[in-house]
Structure formats: C-alpha cells, structure tokens
Amino acid sequence: MSRIAVIGLGIMGLPMAVNLVKAGHDVVGFNRSQDKIDKLVSAGGTGAADVAEAVKDAEIILTMVPDSPDVEAVVLGEEGVFANAKSGAYWVDASTIRPDVSVRLAATAAEAGVKALDAPVSGGEQGAIEGSLSIMVGGAAEDFEAVRPALEAVGGTIVHVGPAGSGQTVKAANQLIVAGTIQLVAEALVFLEAHSVDTEAAIRVLAGGLAGNRILDRKAASMAARTFEPGFRVDLHHKDLGIVTAAAREAGVAIPLGALTAQLMGSLRAQGHGSLDHSALLILVEQLSGRASR
Ligand code: NAP
C-alpha cells in the first residue's frame, strides 16, 4: 500500500481519492476549497493545508484539476509538487490537458527527480464512483508498471498507450467521440419526440442494436427528462474540443464533424450554459428546430 497525495477533489478527484482509501492506501488530499477536503477526511483520508504538505511524504501524487494552467499552478513554483515531492516520487496527472503541456511538464518533472505519467480518464462521475474508469497512460513503461496497482483502485481498463503526452492525445480522441455521440443522440431524441414516438421504448430498442452506445445507456433518459446536472460540465468539454481541434490542425487531419460539434459546444457555453452537463447539447438541437423548452 502506498502513501498517495490527491490534489483536486472535485467531481472526479474526490471519488477517486475515496476509492484509494477503500483500497487501503494512505491518502492525503488537498483542494482549493476546504469543504471537499472535509469530505475526504470523513471518508477516511487526511487533509493537507497546501500542496507542499500533501506531497512531501507521498510515493504517488495524483492531480485532478480542470485545465492546463491549473495543472501548471499546482506542479510548478516553490509551493508546487515538483519543488516539494520526494525524489523518485511518481506524479500521475489524471486531468485532461493539452498533450504538448503534458510533454513539457514531464521533462520539468524529470529535472526535479519526479517520474511523470499523464493518465487522463474516461467514464464520468459514475465511473469514478464505481472505480471503473478507463485510464489512458503516457510515460515510461516501467513507471506505468510501478503505479498500475494503485490505478487499479480507480480504474477498470488501464492501458499504457505510449510515451509522455500520449495519454492526453488518446483522451482528446475520446472527447471527440463522446461529443459527437451526444450530439447525435440529442438529435435522435428531438426527432423521435417530434414524431410523438415513445422515447423510452425507442431508447431501449436502439440500445440493443448497432446504434447502441454508452451515451444512450447512461444519458439518454436524463436528456429526455431535460435534467442536465453535471456530470461533465459544458465548460470542460469546450476546453477538450479546443484541445482536439488544435491537435488535429497541428497534425494536418480534418475532423469536420468534430469541428462542427466544437462550435455547437462553444455556442451552448456562450449562451450561459457552461455549468450544465455536456448532454445539454440537446438544448441547441431544440432551439435550431424551433422547439425550445427553455
Ligand atoms: P471539478 O469538479 O471542477 O474539480 C476540479 C477540482 O480541482 C475542484 O475541486 C477545484 O477546487 C480543484 N482545483 C482547481 N485548481 C486547484 C488548485 N490550484 N489547487 C487545488 N485544487 C484546485 O472538475 P472535474 O469534473 O472533477 O474534472 C477534473 C478533470 O478531469 C478535468 O480535466 C476534466 O476535463 C477531467 N474529467 C472529468 C470528467 C467528468 O465527468 N467530470 C470525466 C473525465 C475527465 P474548487 O473546489 O475550488 O473548485
């Protein structure tokens, strides 16, 4: 069992930290707002006053914050992870950030004697609670093998996908597929409703055929009920579609459907819906169809 520091105890980080506690690890958490640290403490973890205190004795440091600048704020500087971690500690960044930032930070970590892995996750809040996340890991193979037992407490499918930054590239592809699928499910739901079809029955039969997918299984019912509690915030998916469109452009790859979905996600956010679940793309389909419910 390891001493594991978890920085960022939000929708994903808190349940991941709790699962590490349940697996028997000694977990110390830090978060910007105190109430989430209190939740970890009541689940059997320990709270730290700052990043430096959280990481000083940790063998593994897991970060789970929103975006590239947030990760940089947590790891760099005198108060950050790299300056305060033990030499030889493993830094596992589960946040979804830009692959190029991940590569740069891995090099900076190495200079500080810290072994970096980018390990973004997929599976949503439910996957984090269940400990069944899909984890795509970039970094050295031996470092991956060293942290794999700890990752097994939070993930069901854990795959080493290549050198530093590769995990983030795979995650960008994941976000492309998820956004596009949500958009198509939203369009199908509004279409079915317009034809007065029993949507619950339609979802059930569609889920059993070639159109079956996880969005249909996990989100179609709440979308049909117009419940958009996050989950995964529109703000965060907007960030991720920015990452994938920039990375596709850099590689000279055309992603027409992804680019269109990125525009729709940006529009949803511009209309003030950034804190809703990404399945709120349905709101735009309704608006475009002249059937707005809000
Ligand atoms: P979230 O609920 O916003 O949680 C982020 C947490 O990080 C918040 O508790 C925030 O503290 C904390 N934080 C931010 N900056 C910090 C700092 N400098 N020091 C300490 N704590 C800091 O976001 P989330 O949904 O958990 O997502 C986290 C990451 O996972 C993102 O990169 C996201 O794209 C990715 N992800 C999310 C999902 C999902 O379904 N939600 C799924 C897969 C991947 P405050 O309490 O002050 O806000």
Side-chain angles (χ1 to χ4, degrees):
M1 291 302 131
S2 308
R3 182 169 173 89
I4 304 180
V6 182
I7 318 285
L9 301 169
I11 288 177
M12 300 295 285
L14 181 64
M16 290 169 76
V18 169
N19 281 327
L20 290 167
V21 171
K22 284 185 188 157
H25 297 287
D26 178 11
V27 179
V28 52
F30 175 69
N31 187 75
R32 204 167 41 188
S33 54
Q34 179 65 36
D35 58 320
K36 295 172 187 168
I37 301 179
D38 298 340
K39 286 184 187 155
L40 175 64
V41 171
S42 51
T46 313
D50 50 33
V51 170
E53 184 185 317
V55 305
K56 68 180 167 55
D57 297 318
E59 284 125 28
I60 298 173
I61 298 148
L62 182 78
T63 46
M64 194 48 162
V65 294
D67 201 353
S68 305
D70 304 303
V71 174
E72 289 175 318
V74 164
V75 298
L76 301 175
E78 277 181 26
E79 312 296 320
V81 170
F82 299 162
N84 293 282
K86 292 197 296 193
S87 179
Y90 295 93
W91 168 49
V92 179
D93 184 25
S95 326
T96 303
I97 65 169
R98 282 172 28 203
D100 60 311
V101 174
S102 220
V103 171
R104 180 162 42 78
L105 291 178
T108 312
E111 285 163 20
V114 171
K115 298 169 181 173
L117 292 158
D118 48 298
V121 307
S122 178
E125 183 182 19
Q126 193 180 335
I129 293 167
E130 291 167 356
S132 62
L133 293 167
S134 234
I135 313 181
M136 37 222 101
V137 188
E142 64 272 23
D143 296 344
F144 169 70
E145 289 306 331
V147 302
R148 187 209 281 268
L151 292 181
E152 280 168 358
V154 295
T157 306
I158 306 165
V159 181
H160 181 233
V161 293
S166 313
Q168 296 297 352
T169 303
V170 176
K171 174 68 185 183
N174 182 83
Q175 295 307 79
L176 176 65
I177 295 169
V178 171
T181 308
I182 291 175
Q183 178 63 22
L184 286 177
V185 169
E187 292 179 16
L189 286 173
V190 175
F191 165 79
L192 289 164
E193 289 172 3
H195 282 282
S196 305
V197 170
D198 176 345
T199 38
E200 189 276 323
I203 291 166
R204 214 164 356 110
V205 70
L206 288 173
L210 193 54
N213 64 73
R214 294 277 170 85
I215 303 299
L216 212 46
D217 295 344
R218 292 191 173 186
K219 291 195 182 280
S222 58
M223 288 164 78
R226 308 303 192 258
T227 308
F228 301 119
E229 288 301 309
F232 189 65
R233 289 184 286 120
V234 167
D235 281 338
L236 290 176
H237 215 143
H238 176 67
K239 167 206 50 144
D240 294 348
L241 291 170
I243 291 171
V244 70
T245 45
R249 185 185 163 94
E250 197 183 304
V253 170
I255 50 164
L257 291 182
L260 175 59
T261 313
Q263 288 284 308
L264 293 168
M265 196 71 79
S267 167
L268 188 61
R269 182 169 184 262
Q271 292 184 42
H273 297 308
S275 58
L276 295 184
D277 189 71
H278 52 172
S279 58
L281 277 172
L282 185 131
I283 292 172
L284 280 189
V285 180
E286 285 187 310
Q287 284 175 2
L288 291 168
S289 312
R291 303 172 64 87
S293 63
R294 61 166 83 196

